[in-house]
Amino acid sequence: KRKEGNNMENFVNNSPLILVIVFLVIGFCFLIKGADFFVEGSSSIARKLKVPSIIIGLTIVAMGTSLPETAVSVTASLAHNNELAVSNVVGSNINLMFVVGVCAVITPIMVQRETITRDIPLSIICALLLLGLGCLAIGDKHKMILGHLDGIIFLVLFTAYIVVMIRTAMK
């Protein structure tokens, strides 16, 4: 499998710039269409199983839209390109400002009180936790390394957040 990745990487790296741009545009189109299929399929499942759409949105769609980003970060980590993995996460949080900014320029955005009181502080806490765990680097002489325990902490927090969101949505 690693050899296949090298072949594709070599092919793209040795291709003319215009061809790489064409691949990028085609991939982007597939990503957009795939996202449409994913959201429509998830909504359809919700209707057929009589599950509230908010639950599907908070779980399947929310996680599904993060899968490409997760795949990039995991692939980068496996290739020992940890800087790319972490910068992908940090960059996606920064891109949030771009997305919200563009939407707000086009049309005003109504923000719910819970978003201000729960979700935004939680995002800030998670960013600070990432920084704190990286600085602590328990058992690491070089510092700024996130280990298995750190990953478990983030996954437990993510699961707890999803559970709280589902319970809130069901009320």
Side-chain angles (χ1 to χ4, degrees), residues 133 136-140 145 149-150:
L133 291 174
L136 284 176
I138 297 170
D140 174 47
I145 291 182
L149 179 61
D150 303 319

Side-chain angles (χ1 to χ4, degrees), residues 49 92 123:
L49 296 177
S92 77
S123 295

Side-chain angles (χ1 to χ4, degrees), residues 13-53:
N13 286 336
N14 294 325
S15 295
L17 179 61
I18 189 71
L19 188 58
V20 174
I21 292 171
V22 168
F23 289 154
L24 184 67
V25 170
I26 290 171
F28 189 66
C29 291
F30 278 130
L31 181 65
I32 291 170
K33 204 64 201 157
D36 286 344
F37 287 141
F38 185 81
V39 170
E40 288 302 319
S42 298
S43 299
S44 177
I45 289 171
R47 283 190 299 275
K48 289 180 187 203
L49 296 177
K50 299 192 182 356
V51 175
S53 294

